[in-house]
Amino acid sequence: MVLAPKEISKALDFMVSKSEEIAGTDNTQSFNELYGQEIIKFSATVIGLFLLMGFFLYCMRKTIIVMSRLIEYDLRKEIYQHYQTLDLAFYKRNKTGDLMARLSEDVSKVRMYLGPGLMYGIRVTLLVSFVIVAMFQVNAKLTLFTLLPLPFLSLSIYYVSSIIHKRSDLIQRQVSKLNSISQEVYSGIRIVKSYVKEKQFADYFDAESENYKEKSLDLAKVNALFFPLMIVLMNISTIITIFVGGTLYAQGEITVGNLLEFIIYIGYLNWPITSIGWIASIIQQAEASQNRINEILKIEPEITNPVTDNRELSGQIEFRNVSFTYPDTGIEALKDVSFKVESGHRLAIVGRTASGKSTIAELLLRFYDVTEGEILIDGKNIKDIDLSNLRKRVGYVPQNVFLFSDTIEDNVRFGRLDADSDMVQQYSRHAAIDGDIVELPEAYATFVGERGVTLSGGQKQRLSIARALIKDPDIILMDDSLSAIDANTEHKILSYLDDVLKSKTSIIITHRVSSLLEFDNILVLENGKIEEFGNHEALIDTGGYYSQIVKKQYE
């Protein structure tokens, strides 16, 4: 790029010298006739240099921008995969909107640095270096005067960059907060509407958006001040060049072509220097975003997989003096709990709200590790069992049902991806949902909407049961998953468990005691401790908590 001004300088000096020669003679031939070919050569050389510069610029853009897109893809995939390795406690500590912002907004900011930021940074560095060297080759004195504003420029860049970094970090955090608010409101839109809280949430979102706007304007003001400052300093350089260069030309130290060459070099420097502010802003925003990404990537999962073993489980479960305290809240959910479920037996767990019932399910799936004691499956500590195989062998129906925004068939098939349509329908019948599905306009091809919003609570529960049963698991674990189902439907589902899953270990957490007659044992929890344990008849005879809630239900 610096070669083109040199050729222009030579061409101008050539034309000036030849014009003076012609002016001092009686030759009446025109300048073009005498030196037209020389001018064409100069022009062709300059055009060729600019075309070559354009070709290399194209190659640089294609290489760096494509590279940045590939890194963006890898980084986003790495974060997504890392999210999936983290345990349940992590997701209870962090908001979904913030996690999504790191996966989208922050990764995009990093890509902007690795792509346009890096590309223009390299271009600015090389261009400024080459131009300064070329200027010194022409005239060192003029170069020093021309570069006089650069120290002030460097100090300005350093000062403004620190401000940009701080404000960029605040903006990214506010973006995460806005995403979290939006995600929560849209997920709970039925509650928002039922309580007529649309205006309240709208005002709250407006206030946070105003906060974001103010932070963004603060950053914009810094950038708005930075760019004019760069332009002023570069225009001062141009004025100095013309004044000092004109003096040197008058003294015969440089030619008019040299002066034009310097002015072109200053023009070359105008855009790179003024773009330093934009590049600095991109770098600072990327640094803030990368720090937020690193915060996540540095988090190690507390639940690890020690071995790889795909053997089947017989389903014998034993809790030995298990105590558990939730790490974030400090709530002691279980206290010295011990019980045993033989392979193929059916256990019911009942108790008041917050008595620790769901905690037992979460510990069996190793969403958490016990604080004290140990859990054994088939006589082996659960921590020494292949984690993936354990969860694969357990058919879990959670208390809070989650359905994907997909068809009914695909939601059931999620439990077993190689299942065909006949198998999906078969297990839907076992879950007593087939009759409801076939009445829908598109039957099993019906889309359930986000989180299954188009289905009733009971239908979602039964779909979730079908999804768990189609896995053909060794252990069935149902956490209060029959609460929205009528007694007749519940009886059909439990009859299937009685008839078909006799060899499977089944644990059902429930509040409906009338359905517990078919179970081998009943475990009653109270404040995280085992209050009672035994079969239906034995617990009725004791006259304890279980006997009381049975009597109340039948009154």
Side-chain angles (χ1 to χ4, degrees):
M1 194 170 186
V2 296
L3 297 178
K6 291 185 177 297
E7 291 298 320
I8 294 174
S9 173
K10 291 178 182 178
L12 181 59
D13 287 340
F14 173 80
M15 286 187 290
V16 170
S17 64
K18 296 303 179 183
S19 297
E20 291 175 352
E21 290 179 11
I22 294 174
T25 65
D26 295 331
N27 196 332
T28 57
Q29 285 183 284
S30 68
F31 185 87
N32 289 338
E33 290 177 351
L34 290 173
Y35 305 109
Q37 289 185 347
E38 294 295 330
I39 295 174
I40 291 174
K41 288 180 182 179
F42 280 122
S43 301
T45 302
V46 171
I47 293 172
L49 289 172
F50 277 114
L51 289 176
L52 188 63
M53 179 191 70
F55 172 74
F56 284 116
L57 183 60
Y58 163 77
C59 292
M60 183 177 71
R61 290 183 63 89
K62 183 178 179 181
T63 302
I64 295 179
I65 297 299
V66 169
M67 175 271 295
S68 70
R69 288 294 184 183
L70 293 175
I71 293 177
E72 177 189 27
Y73 166 77
D74 290 336
L75 182 58
R76 186 167 281 129
K77 184 171 68 173
E78 180 183 1
I79 297 171
Y80 179 81
Q81 291 175 345
H82 186 68
Y83 278 161
Q84 298 196 77
T85 66
L86 299 175
D87 45 76
L88 196 61
F90 168 81
Y91 290 98
K92 290 187 176 181
R93 289 193 301 266
N94 295 275
K95 293 184 177 181
T96 303
D98 179 58
L99 299 180
M100 293 302 297
R102 295 174 198 250
L103 192 62
S104 55
E105 296 289 336
D106 287 328
V107 172
S108 295
K109 296 291 185 184
V110 173
R111 187 206 68 82
M112 281 296 293
Y113 162 68
L114 294 172
L118 185 61
M119 180 182 69
Y120 288 118
I122 292 173
R123 187 182 177 194
V124 167
T125 303
L126 293 177
L127 182 60
V128 171
S129 301
F130 289 148
V131 166
I132 291 177
V133 170
M135 290 167 70
F136 269 105
Q137 289 176 348
V138 176
N139 189 279
K141 183 188 296 185
L142 180 57
T143 301
L144 292 174
F145 277 104
T146 302
L147 300 180
L148 198 61
L150 282 185
F152 302 99
L153 185 63
S154 301
L155 292 174
S156 302
I157 293 172
Y158 175 78
Y159 175 70
V160 173
S161 295
S162 62
I163 299 176
I164 291 174
H165 173 70
K166 295 176 183 177
R167 297 188 180 182
S168 296
D169 184 62
L170 292 175
I171 289 173
Q172 289 303 100
R173 294 185 185 279
Q174 189 64 20
V175 168
S176 296
K177 190 171 185 179
L178 289 174
N179 285 342
S180 297
I181 294 171
S182 303
Q183 189 270 334
E184 288 181 352
V185 171
Y186 297 147
S187 297
I189 191 65
R190 284 182 291 184
I191 300 298
V192 174
K193 287 184 175 295
S194 65
Y195 281 83
V196 198
K197 297 295 183 181
E198 293 94 335
K199 186 178 186 305
Q200 178 180 331
F201 276 100
D203 293 341
Y204 177 51
F205 188 81
D206 286 346
E208 294 299 331
S209 296
E210 184 69 21
N211 191 354
Y212 171 75
K213 184 189 75 174
E214 291 175 0
K215 288 180 170 62
S216 298
L217 288 176
D218 288 341
L219 179 60
K221 289 175 184 177
V222 175
N223 286 326
L225 177 65
F226 193 57
F227 282 103
L229 178 62
M230 300 300 102
I231 293 173
V232 168
L233 290 175
M234 292 311 302
N235 284 335
I236 291 175
S237 292
T238 303
I239 294 171
I240 292 173
T241 300
I242 294 173
F243 177 77
V244 176
T247 304
L248 293 175
Y249 173 72
Q251 295 173 355
E253 294 187 27
I254 62 173
T255 66
V256 66
N258 295 143
L259 182 58
L260 176 60
E261 184 179 350
F262 257 82
I263 294 174
I264 295 174
Y265 284 146
I266 295 299
Y268 279 177
L269 292 177
N270 270 334
W271 180 88
I273 297 300
T274 54
S275 70
I276 289 176
W278 177 75
I279 296 171
S281 177
I282 286 181
I283 292 173
Q284 297 301 329
Q285 291 180 51
E287 183 181 2
S289 294
Q290 187 63 56
N291 286 336
R292 284 167 44 81
I293 291 171
N294 290 340
E295 287 176 5
I296 295 296
L297 295 179
K298 288 178 181 178
I299 297 175
E300 296 293 334
E302 297 177 8
I303 308 298
T304 56
N305 191 16
V307 295
T308 301
D309 186 2
N310 293 322
R311 74 180 65 183
E312 295 182 1
L313 304 177
S314 66
Q316 185 190 68
I317 300 171
E318 183 178 1
F319 275 54
R320 287 184 184 173
N321 308 113
V322 170
S323 297
F324 176 71
T325 302
Y326 280 98
D328 299 317
T329 61
I331 296 174
E332 190 175 10
L334 295 178
K335 307 169 187 176
D336 196 28
V337 171
S338 297
F339 65 89
K340 189 173 184 178
V341 183
E342 296 295 339
S343 176
H345 282 205
R346 294 181 293 279
L347 172 71
I349 302 177
V350 298
R352 292 187 176 91
T353 302
S355 60
K357 303 185 299 296
S358 295
T359 302
I360 289 179
E362 291 178 338
L363 292 177
L364 275 172
L365 286 161
R366 275 201 81 196
F367 289 156
Y368 298 96
D369 279 334
V370 298
T371 306
E372 295 180 11
E374 59 180 348
I375 300 173
L376 306 177
I377 296 181
D378 298 346
K380 192 174 184 179
N381 192 309
I382 196 172
K383 295 180 180 179
D384 299 325
I385 297 175
D386 184 346
L387 182 60
S388 298
N389 188 54
L390 169 67
R391 293 174 178 172
K392 190 185 300 180
R393 301 291 178 182
V394 176
Y396 174 53
V397 185
Q399 185 175 7
N400 298 317
V401 177
F402 182 91
L403 297 180
F404 295 94
S405 182
D406 208 332
T407 64
I408 289 176
E409 182 171 343
D410 285 337
N411 267 284
V412 176
R413 187 182 284 117
F414 183 79
R416 186 173 179 177
L417 298 179
D418 62 347
D420 56 25
S421 297
D422 292 337
M423 189 177 293
V424 170
Q425 294 175 24
Q426 175 189 344
Y427 281 92
S428 296
R429 286 192 291 271
H430 293 327
I433 185 65
D434 178 71
D436 292 19
I437 296 173
V438 295
E439 292 180 358
L440 296 172
E442 298 182 54
Y444 282 86
T446 302
F447 277 84
V448 299
E450 187 176 4
R451 294 176 179 265
V453 68
T454 60
L455 303 178
S456 68
Q459 289 172 330
K460 287 192 287 187
Q461 282 189 337
R462 283 176 283 164
L463 271 181
S464 186
I465 292 170
R467 182 169 63 192
L469 297 179
I470 201 172
K471 291 173 66 176
D472 189 23
D474 300 324
I475 299 172
I476 298 293
L477 182 57
M478 301 171 68
D479 185 3
D480 200 21
S481 54
L482 302 174
S483 58
I485 299 173
D486 62 84
N488 290 332
T489 304
E490 180 186 19
H491 179 71
K492 291 180 183 178
I493 296 171
L494 293 179
S495 295
Y496 169 74
L497 296 178
D498 282 335
D499 296 337
V500 182
L501 299 181
K502 291 181 179 179
S503 62
K504 311 291 184 182
T505 303
S506 305
I507 298 179
I508 293 185
I509 299 169
T510 182
H511 292 284
R512 194 171 290 170
V513 295
S514 61
S515 65
L516 306 181
L517 302 176
E518 302 294 331
F519 286 86
D520 298 289
N521 283 301
I522 300 163
L523 186 152
V524 181
L525 287 175
E526 179 70 18
N527 294 325
K529 296 181 178 180
I530 295 180
E531 188 76 13
E532 302 171 64
F533 184 81
N535 59 32
H536 176 74
E537 291 79 9
L539 295 184
I540 289 292
D541 293 340
T542 60
Y545 171 76
Y546 177 75
S547 176
Q548 294 173 17
I549 60 175
V550 170
K551 290 178 181 178
K552 287 181 180 179
Q553 185 162 321
Y554 282 99
E555 286 179 355

